[in-house]
Amino acid sequence: MAISFGPGRPWGGVSQHEYRRMARDPRYDGYLRVHFAALGWADRDGHASFRPGELAALLSEGSEPLTKQGANARVSHAKRLGLISPRSGVPCLVLPGHLFQKGSGASVPCRIHIGR
């Protein structure tokens, strides 16, 4: 799959490894860490799926994972700012095609958005 954001729209690659590291770094605000997690774990379709409690643990600021409400609040903030798709939720963060495309990897619908 060729990556194209449209004519005259430059693009560059990112290190998903580094975005995963930054998603875990409590020095960043929570909504940014959600965006970083979406970028770091995104598959070819722009979906970053997490097991129950996994995103809350990833976004923790200490030894305890975030509450469900805390994780939802950070995801909602990132959605309001357009950093992730409105289709996103704690189980699966979705990056819109105008922000993210990936030319390799399996194209498998995530368990949350299958058939949507």
Side-chain angles (χ1 to χ4, degrees), residues 57-83:
L58 178 89
L59 297 173
S60 72
E61 296 177 6
S63 59
E64 294 295 317
L66 290 178
T67 64
K68 185 176 180 177
Q69 294 83 6
N72 281 326
R74 284 162 177 76
V75 169
S76 293
H77 192 176
K79 286 196 290 190
R80 282 193 309 275
L81 293 173
L83 297 174

Side-chain angles (χ1 to χ4, degrees), residues 15-108:
S15 168
Q16 285 188 291
H17 173 79
E18 284 302 307
Y19 275 98
R20 289 177 182 190
R21 181 191 61 74
M22 292 188 312
R24 292 182 178 102
D25 189 335
R27 294 177 302 165
Y28 295 103
D29 288 333
Y31 67 93
L32 287 175
R33 293 174 64 199
V34 168
H35 181 65
F36 296 159
L39 285 165
W41 277 274
D43 65 12
R44 188 170 123 185
D45 296 321
H47 290 243
S49 296
F50 298 93
R51 293 183 308 274
E54 186 178 16
L55 185 61
L58 178 89
L59 297 173
S60 72
E61 296 177 6
S63 59
E64 294 295 317
L66 290 178
T67 64
K68 185 176 180 177
Q69 294 83 6
N72 281 326
R74 284 162 177 76
V75 169
S76 293
H77 192 176
K79 286 196 290 190
R80 282 193 309 275
L81 293 173
L83 297 174
I84 55 177
S85 167
R87 297 173 51 213
S88 296
V90 170
C92 181
L93 305 173
V94 182
L95 291 165
H98 73 278
L99 289 181
F100 180 86
Q101 296 176 32
K102 189 172 181 176
S104 64
S107 181
V108 179

